[in-house]
Amino acid sequence: MSTTAHEQRFEDVHGISDAVSVMTTSLSKKSDGAQTREEEVVNISGEVENRLEQEQIDEGVILEDEFKLHVNPSLIIIICTNILMQISFFVVVSSSSAYAAHLGGSATFSGLVIGIPAAVSGASLLPFMKYDKGQYAFPLHFACASLALGSLLYGLAYKTKFLYLILLGRMVQGLGYTYFMHCKRYCSDSRIVGVRRRTLLAGWLVVGQGLGLSAGPFIGGLLSKIGFSNDVFNGYSAPGWVMFVVFLIHWAIVTLYFKDPPREETARQDFELSPRPSSSRIGNALRQLNKRQWGVIATMCWFALANFFMLGAWEANIPVFTSSHPSMPSAGLTSRSPFNATSFLYELSPRDLHRFSSLPFHWSPFAAGNFLALGGITIFPFLLLNMLFSRRTQDRHILALGSGLGFSGLLIALALFASQPAHGTLTYGSFFICWFLVALGFNLATTCTLSLLSKQLPPSWNGLTSLAIQYCNNLGRVCGAVWGGSGVKVGMINYVGLEIAIVGIGAVMFTTLWKELKTKTG
């Protein structure tokens, strides 16, 4: 409701109050027999004035809550934690396939290494909510400990020559990645941020994704190139050791400066504070949703899954697709034998030879990491612009722009892969355009999934909506990483075709519910 409408309503109530006052004055001049009538009118006048005062107070609270944003060390720590987790998630992308191949693993296994933390995170979310009680300090300490320990195990895999220690380390990290959900929930918590500032904070989280997407693969690729030649700290294990030290330092900072938000306003937020809401309470709440709200929830969950499926698939696929030593059992490569592109192609069957004829790059992990990082760096200015314009842009417009850009990148990639064997159209520049559009589009689209839901549903739903969005994000990361690692084996046209179908389903849902997706800006 506009400010003018509120002022008009207050003037009307004032007019009623004045009229009642005049009536009271005239009645006071009557006989004593009308005393009871006079007292009733006085009581009505008092009630009207009290109601007017309360409405003025409530209006002030509403206006204050909509634009509320507490900028303090705790908020900065939350944003920095998101950035560090994103870097930790992506730092292994550029070298995990080579690391797995060195220890005897396949390209699909390297995709599993990239995606398994999201699966563990998703499986841990519900049990973990039993202990967080709607707060953030305890899960943050747990996340720092898990991420540090998981990074340590990842680094030790080379020394122990145990392939599955890579997987175990990433699974332990997955326990820490449960804090992705807490970061999203913190940035839409009504105790901390008003409804017109949630897209802004969601934009900061997406900026963290951009930093992780650019810094993570670059650091991993750089470490793989300059790592020391010993069994402890080398190009493969260095990402684990570096992130182990980083998270120990971050944990110390969290211990000194992080504070939970006050609890006084959370008594009415049943879903957020209840460790496990009863099935009857959830059932009653779900029955209150209408078809429009169900449609919006389904659409946002689908895009939360689709966005991270695309990003995870491309991040896992690019190092494998562009690799100079794809690790396939039929290639007859040992973990320590040098790769020769010509001999590798001669060892393939005619069917595999046709499949790998569209592998024109032959990049090292360092080059693949630089390519991924270049995409993150080039989209970063656009993510900052998104933060500036998000205050005046509706979430549905951001979603339309992001999904449209990503979809165009997929269509261009499909055309390039289809024409590559005959015309050699796949070059560094053309492939980078596809990666740029995919990275920019689907990162932008992640801005509004939770913020849009938090604006349309009551504050008490923030815990459940955060959980639902995070589960979809995790499912997208896991399936996308495995799909990306298998992209060369299934064929790159089939690989991109599935992604186009997923975005197409979302587009149908999105256009059908366009009017229902309208929310407040900011």
Side-chain angles (χ1 to χ4, degrees):
M1 186 177 294
S2 64
T3 304
T4 304
H6 284 302
E7 292 176 352
Q8 182 63 40
R9 185 177 64 182
F10 294 153
E11 291 176 1
D12 293 341
V13 178
H14 273 302
I16 295 173
S17 178
D18 294 340
V20 173
S21 299
V22 172
M23 186 186 301
T24 303
T25 303
S26 62
L27 287 174
S28 64
K29 298 178 181 179
K30 292 185 177 181
S31 62
D32 295 339
Q35 186 66 30
T36 303
R37 176 71 173 177
E38 178 184 351
E39 290 176 355
E40 291 178 359
V41 175
V42 170
N43 290 336
I44 294 174
S45 176
E47 290 178 2
V48 171
E49 292 177 354
N50 291 336
R51 182 176 178 182
L52 171 62
E53 181 180 358
Q54 186 62 45
E55 288 195 6
Q56 291 173 330
I57 294 173
D58 290 343
E59 177 66 13
V61 171
I62 291 171
L63 291 176
E64 179 185 356
D65 285 347
E66 284 189 350
F67 294 94
K68 177 172 61 179
L69 180 60
H70 297 313
V71 179
N72 51 39
S74 296
L75 177 60
I76 296 173
I77 287 175
I78 288 291
I79 293 174
C80 291
T81 301
N82 176 66
I83 293 173
L84 292 179
M85 289 193 299
Q86 295 287 355
I87 292 175
S88 175
F89 192 91
F90 293 121
V91 73
V92 304
V93 167
S94 56
S95 59
S96 65
S97 60
Y99 197 4
H102 175 82
L103 296 176
S106 63
T108 303
F109 182 85
S110 71
L112 185 61
V113 167
I114 295 173
I116 194 66
V120 175
S121 174
S124 307
L125 278 175
L126 273 179
F128 199 69
M129 288 183 68
K130 180 179 179 180
Y131 301 100
D132 68 18
K133 298 180 180 179
Q135 298 297 92
Y136 304 93
F138 168 72
L140 180 54
H141 288 287
F142 180 83
C144 291
S146 300
L147 290 165
L149 178 60
S151 299
L152 177 63
L153 294 176
Y154 186 89
L156 287 173
Y158 190 97
K159 176 65 176 178
T160 60
K161 295 181 174 60
F162 184 42
L163 172 65
Y164 291 97
L165 196 58
I166 302 175
L167 196 63
L168 179 61
R170 293 288 284 174
M171 291 173 69
V172 174
Q173 283 184 326
L175 296 174
Y177 290 140
T178 55
Y179 210 75
F180 277 128
M181 186 270 290
H182 292 85
C183 289
K184 292 180 175 67
R185 194 174 77 187
Y186 191 96
C187 292
S188 58
D189 195 325
S190 59
R191 295 171 288 175
I192 300 159
V193 55
V195 68
R196 290 187 178 271
R197 289 293 179 264
R198 293 176 188 174
T199 305
L200 174 64
L201 286 190
W204 274 108
L205 296 182
V206 174
V207 167
Q209 287 179 200
L211 284 173
L213 181 60
S214 57
F218 176 76
I219 293 172
L222 185 63
L223 290 173
S224 70
K225 187 176 182 65
I226 66 174
F228 299 104
S229 300
N230 59 65
D231 290 340
V232 178
F233 190 93
N234 53 64
Y236 293 148
S237 64
W241 291 111
V242 170
M243 296 312 300
F244 170 68
V245 175
V246 168
F247 279 115
L248 286 181
I249 296 173
H250 184 66
W251 194 2
I253 295 174
V254 167
T255 303
L256 292 174
Y257 297 105
F258 186 82
K259 293 181 180 180
D260 267 324
R263 288 177 175 268
E264 59 266 17
E265 297 181 24
T266 62
R268 52 202 171 123
Q269 297 183 7
D270 298 332
F271 294 111
E272 289 185 52
L273 297 185
S274 174
R276 283 193 182 181
S278 64
S279 58
S280 60
R281 182 184 301 170
I282 295 178
N284 292 334
L286 294 178
R287 282 191 290 270
Q288 295 175 2
L289 297 176
N290 55 39
K291 293 182 179 180
R292 164 186 166 277
Q293 290 173 316
W294 275 115
V296 172
I297 291 173
T299 302
M300 292 302 101
C301 287
W302 181 264
F303 273 101
L305 185 151
N307 293 336
F308 281 92
F309 182 91
M310 305 305 160
L311 294 173
W314 279 68
E315 290 149 5
N317 177 262
I318 286 175
V320 176
F321 174 68
T322 62
S323 176
S324 59
H325 55 288
S327 56
M328 292 183 60
S330 62
L333 296 175
T334 64
S335 61
R336 295 183 180 273
S337 63
F339 173 76
N340 182 277
T342 303
S343 63
F344 170 69
L345 291 176
Y346 277 121
E347 292 174 8
L348 294 175
S349 64
R351 181 179 179 181
D352 288 333
L353 182 61
H354 174 73
R355 178 185 299 155
F356 280 92
S357 64
S358 58
L359 263 169
F361 298 116
H362 311 301
W363 290 348
S364 66
F366 176 66
N370 286 344
F371 183 83
L372 289 168
L374 183 60
I377 292 171
T378 51
I379 71 171
F380 190 73
F382 296 95
L383 299 182
L384 292 177
L385 288 175
N386 176 55
M387 288 178 51
L388 296 177
F389 288 103
S390 64
R391 296 183 180 183
R392 299 183 294 273
T393 307
Q394 290 185 22
D395 290 320
R396 59 177 181 170
H397 294 153
I398 298 175
L399 182 61
L401 175 62
S403 57
L405 289 172
F407 188 72
S408 64
L410 295 177
L411 290 178
I412 295 173
L414 181 64
L416 292 174
F417 291 138
S419 59
Q420 167 63 17
H423 304 288
T425 54
L426 197 61
T427 63
Y428 188 99
S430 61
F431 193 42
F432 179 77
I433 291 174
C434 300
W435 169 230
F436 170 80
L437 291 173
V438 168
L440 175 60
F442 294 116
N443 270 291
L444 281 178
T446 60
T447 305
C448 54
T449 50
L450 179 58
S451 64
L452 191 150
L453 284 183
S454 70
K455 293 174 183 179
Q456 292 206 355
L457 297 175
S460 59
W461 280 80
N462 190 39
L464 286 178
T465 53
S466 301
L467 184 66
I469 293 298
Q470 190 58 46
Y471 264 118
C472 293
N473 290 346
N474 289 343
L475 182 61
R477 282 186 185 274
V478 175
C479 297
V482 175
W483 181 246
S486 305
V488 174
K489 288 188 176 181
V490 301
M492 295 302 291
I493 294 179
N494 297 331
Y495 161 78
V496 178
L498 176 64
E499 296 172 355
I500 291 175
I502 291 174
V503 180
I505 294 172
V508 172
M509 301 170 68
F510 178 80
T511 53
T512 303
L513 296 169
W514 176 257
K515 293 182 179 180
E516 284 73 17
L517 295 174
K518 184 177 181 180
T519 58
K520 294 181 179 180
T521 59

